[in-house]
Amino acid sequence: MKAIDSMHSGALLRRIGIVLLSVLAALTLGAVFLIILDVNPFTAYYYLLVRPFSSLNSIGEMTIKMVPILIVGIGVSFTFQTKLSNLGGEGQICLGAIGMTLVGTSSFAEAAGGWYIPVGMLVAALFGALWAGIAGFFKTRFKASEIITTLLLNYIAVQLLSWCVYYPLRDTAGNIPQSAAVAATLPRLISGSRMNVGLIIALACVVVYWVVMKRTKFGYRLRVLGGSIKAATFGGISKRKYYLIVMMISGAFAGLAGSIELAGTQTRLLEGLAGSYGFDGVVASLLGMMNPLGVLLSSVLLGALSIGAETMQVRTGVSSLFLNVLEALIVLFILLGFSFFGDGSRKKNKKGKESEE
Amino acid sequence: MDQIFTAAFLVPLLAAGVRMGAPLIFGSVGDVLSEKTGVMNIALEGEMLIAALLAFMAAYSSGSLLLGVLVGGFTGLLSALVIAFWGISRRQDQSVVGIMFNIFALGFTNFLYRATFGVRTERASVATLETIRIPVLADIPYIGEIFFQHNILVYLAFIGAVAVWFVMKYTKFGLQAAAAGENPKAAAAAGINVVRLRYIGYMFSGFMAGIGGAFLSLGNVGTFTENMSSGRGFICLAITILSRWNPLFAVLAAFLFGTVEALQLRLQAMGADLPYQFFVALPYIVTLISLVIFGRNIRAPKDLGNAYDKESR
Amino acid sequence: MERTPLLELKGITKTFGDFTANDNINLKVYRGEVHAVLGENGAGKSTLMNIIYGIYKPDRGEISLSGQSVKIQSPRDALRHGIGMVHQHFMLVGMYSAIENICLMGEEKALSLTNKKKTEEKLIELKKQYGIEVDLHSPVEQLSIGMQQKVEILKLLYTGADVLIFDEPTAVLPPQECDALFDVIKNLVRQDKGVIFISHKLEEVLYISNYITVLTRGQITGQIRTQEADKETIVRMMVGEDMLPPDFAARRAVGTPGPVVLEGEGLYARDDRHVYTLQGVDIQIHAGEIVGVAGVEGNGQVELAEVLAGVRKARKGGRVKIDGQEVSTKNASAFIENNIAYVPADRNYVGSVPDFPLYENWILRNNHPPMKGPFLDYGKIREEAQKAMKSFDVRARGVEERSANLSGGNLQKFILARALGKHPRVLICEYPTRGLDIKATWFVRDRILRAREAGMGVLMISGDFEELFSLSDRIVVLYGGRIVGEVRPEETTVRKVGMMMMGVSGHESN
């Protein structure tokens, strides 16, 4: 991920400037699309950008959108650190949700009540890790591009989830293809808001990510692998081993996100549960430049926008997926901005100086 | 099972395989050329999707399917031009840019379709491309039905694949393109404009993906549905690898995947014992498994995916 | 006799950031002459040639051809103007044959069919005219380095180049092939071509050239007709003072080797293209000795070093023993655990992570970096790095500096400091002084000798005969992935080793 390197260092002010300008440019271009299609951009952007912050309730809603994005984004950041790409968040969320459902609707959960939750989360993380591990295994054993395999696995996982709710896990009591409700939902943090302990778990994930990457030997090794594969070999860091591990870690985070979405928000397994969290996580990671705080802020932004997008769709008829357009444009403009004004644009000269005559 | 191994089942199945393989041919053959010059078209999926919609809209409002197809092609080409600016000129990570474009395309098509056609139960539709029977050949038993009773784009897909194969194998351009993807510095030292060549390869890939997208909306169903490319772009990327960057093998692989898709639809319709989700997932499973089995020990263009910087060493 | 020069440079200046690579360079190349550009590594020779060849744009200055001022914007322009360059790293597409590599060029339309027959005919003619013998049909990656170089020359002749630039052409060649190259160059000037010959080796410049330009730190510090030049004047032009190299060879004779510390048995290995380049090598390294490994590049030396350093797998049952204990070559970590230090050829991407600050690079290839509980103790790591950098005279702005910003010499010293900092049992180094300036070279050689004096076993791969002969206790010669001879430097000559490198075994050549 060479693009990311160029984002990694440099004057903070310039970075913030580039990011803000990119957001502005994306919104402007988005407004042009809206105008062409005869929608008032001010109305649309009001619902999209301003409304989500206008009440405590919607802030609570925002956090429940933000939590899966953040956790997936942290997982994706782990892989980006090694220059792998885990684009299979969607599938891994599905697997995590399935795992959580299996535990949460079991007789064990009925007996244990809320205490099934940590067990369910572990199982969910394991499911996600194994699902991502398929791509990791194919990568390390057969050199299959993890970009393609994780994407393909998404389509398969979505069908797997669909099968689960139609057949083995279907709640026979109702007519809708969905599972029974889990034994207990995640504890709420504030009464009157759906904000739940998932938020605390997500914030803990950010801290774990920061500590592991910056302070531990393991994180150091991942970064070496991302910096130069050959240097990793030189340093006795097995590419095979760490690629597989990092894919599984990433999958575990996505699986965890799935379990929180299931036990905290949906309470039942149903189709479309993963929504666009998988790719939102990728966007959050890129937008936050893999920096823990950056990923956190990006997730807040994306969470808010997701809420806003739903309101916008109801009020103005503009598809909520219009948000994808804005997300992609923001990232693309940031890349462009950094390629012109970032530190990477000046790196070239340094390289030229490194004479190898 | 008995009813599967009859001509009445197999011949229409294979014919459908050819038809469903055609968009995959467009996608992968273009990508083969692009990858030969050193640029992987991760944005294939998005290019197909946007082209499918714009081709449909053009055909819907003008009533001309030909115009629709052309609009599809140029949509792909322009998309590729934009992505190339990021990936080639500004040397940004090709896969990141590609992924972002795919996300953009998903949102953009959804937004545009709803804004244009609204949310209606009855979808707007156009006539599909008509079938052209190739004289004489279409009358050959079995073979005729499988290969020579299709719409114009199917034939174009085959012709395009052969043309790309020929250009890559026998012309100076082909030699230069592969050199740019293999060793861009050596290519530049031989006086080749690597950046221009990569632009050409990539934009061609975009154009082909656009035609493939147009095929999706205009060739088979005559309508646009949300996210209708549904991962075909990624399957095309896999085909490129499986074909070992040979357009003719890509045709073969596309035919194979097309047939799997046709098969799963038929099996679903026949009410097989397995749940339908299995059939829907089948093409992706087959792609994944064939990547693992046949994708080993292959020699990709050496500089594939790397940005080319003229002044670096 | 004022002739018009074929190529003339006037006031060429090129800077990279605040670094001036070329400062006001003037030189003239005439038909039928070899103009040598002599200078140390980093003096700016390659930058200058890249300017002539259109890869870099000069900040100032003018290039004229036969008296006409020209603008060269790209290699394509250069070729069109009759300027061709044999690069140090050959600019050939490995999977293509010589003919295909040449078909790439030329002015035909892009969609025209490749006419391999016609190209071949013309090439055969050129081969005859210039006395160049080379295989036109095999993929060039299968040809020897010398052969590839000839393909490069043919390629340029094919396009009708009048000025041929040779960028350090002998750096990669064994001595015998150098002679063949010189014959080709003489043929070229006899046929009225102009040749620019870039080198940092005095002897060969005196032998082949008609005119010498000396480049030091980007500036011209001397220009002289070769017939009026001798070694001393040129050395003075290069270093500005009389400097004598330290006598390394005298230190070699001291001490006797100890027990075997590192041993390889029946080593086979594949290179990155999955070709077996190492074909059954047995080697022993004793404590307190330097084993030099000579060979033409690509004959398995690097793979040998990598297997012994634990970063490449030994195949076909080959075994590596450290102090008599077998260690699996699948596990680089075990080699690090056993304190096998390794200085790889590629300093920038193998020996270090270019984007890491130096203190983070300090703990690369280290299983036990300083820890505080479960966390890395960066305070201590910085301290260690700082201390080592001081004692190895690594010049950088500090431990926070990214290693990509260090010059080759400073980075090499850093890597060497890191390798030797753990008092290893064995030091394996590949081309330890390649690309370094004279002072850094001497520094590195001194440290390698000190390592030997401290009782380490040293395996040193080198392409530099002076280095091999002055440092090694014994030299093993690799050819085709096998050891074809083992000699003591005081009992042999460069020529004999050169013969062995070509596959002629030591005994027959006597």
Side-chain angles (χ1 to χ4, degrees):
Chain A
M1 306 261 118
K2 190 153 171 262
I4 295 159
D5 292 347
S6 61
M7 295 176 161
H8 223 45
S9 52
L12 192 63
L13 218 62
R14 188 173 53 209
R15 276 166 76 171
I16 294 173
I18 291 173
V19 171
L20 290 180
L21 276 178
S22 302
V23 172
L24 204 64
L27 289 176
T28 312
L29 192 54
V32 172
F33 291 144
L34 290 170
I35 291 167
I36 291 173
L37 294 168
D38 227 12
V39 179
N40 183 341
F42 294 106
T43 324
Y45 282 166
Y46 167 75
Y47 289 115
L48 184 65
L49 301 169
V50 184
R51 264 304 266 283
F53 297 99
S54 59
S55 77
L56 188 69
N57 184 41
S58 58
I59 289 176
E61 289 299 302
M62 189 264 284
T63 62
I64 64 170
K65 288 275 182 199
M66 173 202 113
V67 165
I69 297 175
L70 178 54
I71 299 178
V72 174
I74 291 294
V76 171
S77 300
F78 268 101
T79 50
F80 277 159
Q81 290 278 5
T82 63
K83 294 213 170 119
L84 288 186
S85 308
N86 174 14
L87 305 180
E90 185 183 3
Q92 292 141 22
I93 292 172
C94 289
L95 266 288
I98 292 171
M100 192 68 171
T101 311
L102 284 175
V103 178
T105 57
S106 66
S107 51
F108 158 71
E110 261 163 53
W115 294 107
Y116 87 88
I117 289 173
V119 180
M121 283 180 173
L122 277 179
V123 172
L126 184 70
F127 274 33
L130 290 176
W131 194 251
I134 298 174
F137 177 72
F138 286 174
K139 171 83 182 175
T140 51
R141 188 75 188 76
F142 305 109
K143 292 185 184 153
S145 157
E146 82 287 357
I147 296 180
I148 299 177
T149 53
T150 50
L151 285 166
L152 290 172
L153 283 166
N154 283 344
Y155 291 93
I156 299 170
V158 165
Q159 295 309 320
L160 182 66
L161 187 147
S162 166
W163 173 72
C164 284
V165 297
Y166 269 90
Y167 302 100
L169 296 178
R170 183 170 187 154
D171 182 8
T172 42
N175 283 326
I176 317 165
Q178 60 180 23
S179 76
V182 287
T185 54
L186 293 186
R188 301 261 164 97
L189 290 179
I190 309 170
S191 63
S193 161
R194 290 207 293 167
M195 187 188 292
N196 60 44
V197 290
L199 181 63
I200 292 170
I201 296 172
L203 293 176
C205 289
V206 177
V207 176
V208 167
Y209 171 67
W210 183 81
V211 171
V212 167
M213 288 321 295
K214 285 281 172 202
R215 291 280 144 205
T216 68
K217 213 153 80 174
F218 177 75
Y220 173 81
R221 294 183 161 191
L222 294 185
R223 286 187 295 123
V224 171
L225 205 49
S228 164
I229 293 174
K230 286 178 178 166
T233 312
F234 166 78
I237 300 163
S238 159
K239 184 173 83 175
R240 275 193 174 187
K241 181 171 142 195
Y242 285 91
Y243 273 0
L244 183 61
I245 293 178
V246 84
M247 282 304 280
M248 292 184 73
I249 288 178
S250 181
F253 276 97
L256 178 65
S259 72
I260 291 173
E261 176 69 11
L262 185 99
T265 312
Q266 308 287 356
T267 71
R268 294 167 187 272
L269 190 65
L270 64 163
E271 283 187 284
L273 170 133
S276 61
Y277 292 136
F279 285 109
D280 289 344
V282 175
V283 173
S285 174
L286 288 173
L287 211 54
M289 298 164 205
M290 301 180 303
N291 174 297
L293 197 64
V295 180
L296 175 62
L297 289 176
S298 316
S299 305
V300 172
L301 178 73
L302 294 180
L305 291 176
S306 308
I307 293 293
E310 282 172 8
T311 327
M312 179 182 73
Q313 176 165 332
V314 174
R315 296 299 179 92
T316 66
V318 173
S319 160
S320 63
L321 284 179
F322 182 66
L323 181 55
N324 282 12
V325 173
L326 292 181
E327 283 177 12
L329 287 177
I330 291 173
V331 174
L332 287 175
F333 282 130
I334 287 179
L335 291 178
L336 198 62
F338 274 91
S339 84
F340 280 112
F341 308 112
D343 315 290
S345 64
R346 291 183 308 168
K347 219 192 257 173
K348 202 166 66 189
N349 297 340
K350 293 260 168 64
K351 239 192 219 164
K353 186 174 164 180
E354 262 308 300
S355 168
E356 282 182 57
E357 286 182 51
Chain B
M1 268 305 184
D2 290 340
Q3 49 180 324
I4 289 176
F5 295 103
T6 58
F9 182 83
L10 281 178
V11 171
L13 171 74
L14 293 176
V18 169
R19 198 169 59 241
M20 296 188 153
L24 302 178
I25 295 177
F26 281 114
S28 55
V29 166
D31 185 48
V32 164
L33 183 66
S34 173
E35 291 199 12
K36 271 284 185 183
T37 67
V39 192
M40 193 189 270
N41 193 355
I42 303 272
L44 208 54
E45 171 81 6
E47 288 162 6
M48 274 186 148
L49 187 58
I50 290 197
L53 176 59
L54 291 185
F56 171 73
M57 285 170 65
Y60 185 77
S61 55
S62 73
S64 159
L65 289 175
L66 177 70
L67 185 74
V69 171
L70 281 176
V71 166
F74 281 98
T75 304
L77 187 135
L78 286 177
S79 307
L81 177 63
V82 173
I83 301 162
F85 177 70
W86 262 263
I88 302 173
S89 295
R90 299 311 308 162
R91 297 191 286 276
Q92 297 303 301
D93 189 288
Q94 290 166 16
S95 46
V96 171
V97 175
I99 295 157
M100 284 305 129
F101 185 80
N102 290 338
I103 293 178
F104 171 85
L106 185 63
F108 185 75
T109 49
N110 198 295
F111 156 71
L112 183 60
Y113 183 84
R114 285 201 197 179
T116 319
F117 297 97
V119 192
R120 281 182 282 172
T121 39
E122 201 177 315
R123 303 201 79 87
S125 68
V126 295
T128 55
L129 288 165
E130 60 188 287
T131 301
I132 299 173
R133 291 173 55 97
I134 306 281
V136 187
L137 294 176
D139 298 325
I140 305 172
Y142 304 140
I143 303 289
E145 193 183 334
I146 295 172
F147 292 107
F148 300 108
Q149 300 179 17
H150 290 289
N151 69 45
I152 176 95
L153 288 185
V154 175
Y155 304 124
L156 275 180
F158 284 101
I159 294 169
V162 173
V164 170
W165 172 78
F166 182 85
V167 166
M168 275 172 47
K169 195 164 163 76
Y170 291 107
T171 69
K172 190 176 147 200
F173 174 82
L175 210 57
Q176 291 187 332
E182 196 68 21
N183 186 345
K185 279 179 191 163
I192 296 168
N193 186 336
V194 173
V195 167
R196 201 185 71 175
L197 213 55
R198 288 187 169 182
Y199 260 93
I200 292 173
Y202 195 76
M203 285 166 69
F204 175 75
S205 173
F207 179 77
M208 291 290 270
I211 304 270
F215 191 106
L216 293 179
S217 56
L218 304 179
N220 289 342
V221 289
T223 181
F224 177 84
T225 49
E226 275 151 30
N227 197 13
M228 80 182 304
S229 52
S230 61
R232 282 189 184 80
F234 306 128
I235 293 181
C236 287
L237 292 178
I239 291 177
T240 302
I241 296 169
L242 296 175
S243 75
R244 291 162 197 232
W245 295 270
N246 180 332
L248 299 186
F249 288 152
V251 169
L252 215 65
F255 173 54
L256 213 80
F257 285 112
T259 308
V260 171
E261 209 183 320
L263 179 70
Q264 67 95 352
L265 289 174
R266 258 143 241 261
L267 290 177
Q268 257 188 73
M270 279 164 58
D273 295 335
L274 287 164
Y276 83 92
Q277 287 92 351
F278 172 76
F279 296 110
V280 179
L282 192 62
Y284 308 104
I285 296 172
V286 172
T287 310
L288 198 62
I289 291 173
S290 37
L291 258 186
V292 172
I293 296 176
F294 303 110
R296 305 169 64 183
N297 295 326
I298 46 164
R299 191 178 184 283
K302 260 198 199 123
D303 202 53
L304 182 59
N306 295 337
Y308 170 66
D309 184 356
K310 207 174 123 196
E311 289 221 343
S312 84
R313 299 198 190 177
Chain C
M1 42 158 251
E2 192 48 50
R3 293 175 293 162
T4 315
L6 182 55
L7 171 76
E8 183 172 7
L9 306 184
K10 284 181 223 151
I12 297 288
T13 299
K14 172 77 181 173
T15 55
F16 294 105
D18 47 8
F19 172 76
T20 307
N22 286 150
D23 189 2
N24 194 27
I25 304 293
N26 299 296
L27 63 83
K28 295 173 184 172
V29 182
Y30 293 95
R31 280 192 184 276
E33 278 192 10
V34 177
H35 189 129
V37 177
L38 185 68
E40 276 196 56
N41 296 301
K45 295 168 300 187
S46 283
T47 306
L48 186 62
M49 293 311 125
N50 280 327
I51 288 170
I52 301 176
Y53 199 54
I55 293 176
Y56 293 162
K57 289 191 189 80
D59 304 338
R60 276 193 301 282
E62 193 182 289
I63 302 175
S64 11
L65 282 163
S66 309
Q68 297 279 309
S69 169
V70 290
K71 272 232 162 351
I72 300 172
Q73 312 263 15
S74 68
R76 200 186 172 84
D77 281 355
L79 287 172
R80 214 177 278 145
H81 285 118
I83 301 171
M85 172 138 136
V86 177
H87 295 262
Q88 202 173 6
H89 304 284
F90 304 141
M91 291 295 179
L92 295 170
V93 180
M95 63 173 188
Y96 286 174
S97 70
I99 296 173
E100 284 168 329
N101 264 292
I102 286 158
C103 283
L104 280 179
M105 319 211 297
E107 294 292 323
E108 300 94 4
K109 285 233 162 55
L111 283 178
S112 60
L113 299 186
T114 46
N115 195 337
K116 294 187 188 164
K117 197 93 225 134
K118 210 179 90 198
T119 309
E120 186 180 354
E121 278 162 20
K122 195 167 163 200
L123 283 177
I124 291 172
E125 211 171 282
L126 284 170
K127 274 167 63 175
K128 237 186 260 154
Q129 190 183 346
Y130 292 95
I132 298 171
E133 203 37 64
V134 69
D135 175 356
L136 295 177
H137 294 277
S138 310
V140 293
E141 64 194 3
Q142 290 171 13
L143 301 180
S144 76
I145 300 287
M147 284 295 164
Q148 292 188 20
Q149 194 174 53
K150 286 179 187 165
V151 174
E152 279 278 44
I153 298 170
L154 265 186
K155 195 170 100 177
L156 302 180
L157 293 172
Y158 181 88
T159 57
D162 275 331
V163 183
L164 287 99
I165 306 169
F166 288 84
D167 187 5
E168 301 261 5
T170 58
V172 290
L173 296 180
Q176 281 73 13
E177 295 209 21
C178 287
D179 291 345
L181 172 71
F182 292 147
D183 288 342
V184 171
I185 291 178
K186 281 180 189 157
N187 263 334
L188 290 171
V189 289
R190 209 171 291 139
Q191 312 239 5
D192 242 14
K193 304 277 183 198
V195 169
I196 301 180
F197 185 91
I198 310 207
S199 178
H200 67 277
K201 294 181 190 161
L202 244 168
E203 288 83 2
E204 62 185 36
V205 163
L206 284 169
Y207 172 72
I208 190 76
S209 71
N210 304 88
Y211 201 86
I212 300 173
T213 292
V214 179
L215 215 56
T216 312
R217 268 167 307 224
Q219 290 175 325
I220 291 181
T221 50
Q223 283 185 314
I224 189 169
R225 259 201 181 279
T226 309
Q227 59 208 45
E228 297 156 8
D230 58 34
K231 264 190 173 180
E232 285 69 40
T233 33
I234 295 180
V235 168
R236 231 181 338 253
M237 286 173 175
M238 285 176 79
V239 291
E241 59 195 289
D242 296 300
M243 273 211 306
L244 283 175
D247 188 4
F248 290 121
R251 284 161 69 182
R252 188 188 57 212
V254 184
T256 46
V260 174
V261 279
L262 183 65
E263 185 177 7
E265 274 176 29
L267 298 181
Y268 287 81
R270 305 193 308 199
D271 68 3
D272 293 336
R273 297 168 305 160
H274 298 280
V275 177
Y276 274 95
T277 46
L278 195 60
Q279 305 250 24
V281 164
D282 298 309
I283 193 165
Q284 294 187 326
I285 299 159
H286 298 81
E289 75 162 346
I290 297 178
V291 180
V293 179
V296 179
E297 248 173 81
N299 277 279
Q301 310 92 299
V302 171
E303 285 74 20
L304 174 64
E306 288 177 348
V307 169
L308 290 174
V311 299
R312 189 174 287 278
K313 209 157 75 181
R315 291 176 186 270
K316 301 190 180 174
R319 295 191 300 177
V320 176
K321 289 184 192 164
I322 301 171
D323 282 341
Q325 288 285 316
E326 186 175 341
V327 180
S328 163
T329 54
K330 278 185 202 164
N331 184 1
S333 194
F335 281 72
I336 300 171
E337 205 63 47
N338 276 294
N339 224 341
I340 306 292
Y342 175 39
V343 176
D346 182 345
R347 300 184 269 272
N348 289 307
Y349 288 91
V350 181
S352 66
V353 181
D355 273 334
F356 275 16
L358 287 172
Y359 72 87
E360 289 211 298
N361 269 316
W362 179 252
I363 52 172
L364 190 60
R365 201 173 164 91
N366 184 346
N367 283 353
H368 306 286
M371 302 289 278
K372 217 189 259 165
F375 302 121
L376 288 166
D377 184 353
Y378 274 114
K380 195 142 178 248
I381 292 167
R382 276 166 215 259
E383 217 172 89
E384 279 182 13
Q386 219 142 26
K387 233 166 90 186
M389 283 166 64
K390 209 165 179 191
S391 80
F392 273 70
D393 188 32
V394 179
R395 301 207 185 138
R397 259 175 278 167
V399 290
E400 309 285 337
E401 182 79 277
R402 287 167 63 242
S403 73
N405 292 349
L406 259 61
S407 74
N410 280 315
L411 186 54
Q412 185 72 336
K413 286 190 215 164
F414 177 83
I415 290 170
L416 199 64
R418 185 180 63 197
L420 295 174
K422 280 165 285 183
H423 307 289
R425 241 173 259 217
V426 179
L427 172 68
I428 295 170
C429 41
E430 299 170 3
Y431 307 102
T433 61
R434 181 187 273 177
L436 303 191
D437 61 35
I438 289 187
K439 283 184 184 157
T441 300
W442 291 344
F443 184 94
V444 169
R445 288 180 187 166
D446 171 57
R447 291 294 167 146
I448 292 174
L449 275 170
R450 281 204 220 172
R452 169 188 176 277
E453 283 150 15
M456 291 174 209
V458 179
L459 181 84
M460 178 182 73
I461 293 179
S462 179
D464 184 324
F465 284 98
E466 192 200 324
E467 183 162 275
L468 281 170
F469 274 72
S470 61
L471 298 191
S472 315
D473 291 278
R474 56 196 172 96
I475 299 173
V476 296
V477 184
L478 251 64
Y479 174 77
R482 291 194 181 83
I483 291 181
V484 290
E486 183 182 323
V487 290
R488 299 200 154 267
E490 61 274 17
E491 293 164 2
T492 187
T493 62
V494 169
R495 246 197 131 63
K496 282 184 194 160
V497 173
M499 290 298 276
M500 287 191 259
M501 284 164 66
M502 302 296 292
V504 184
S505 93
H507 304 289
E508 288 164 58
S509 66
N510 279 338

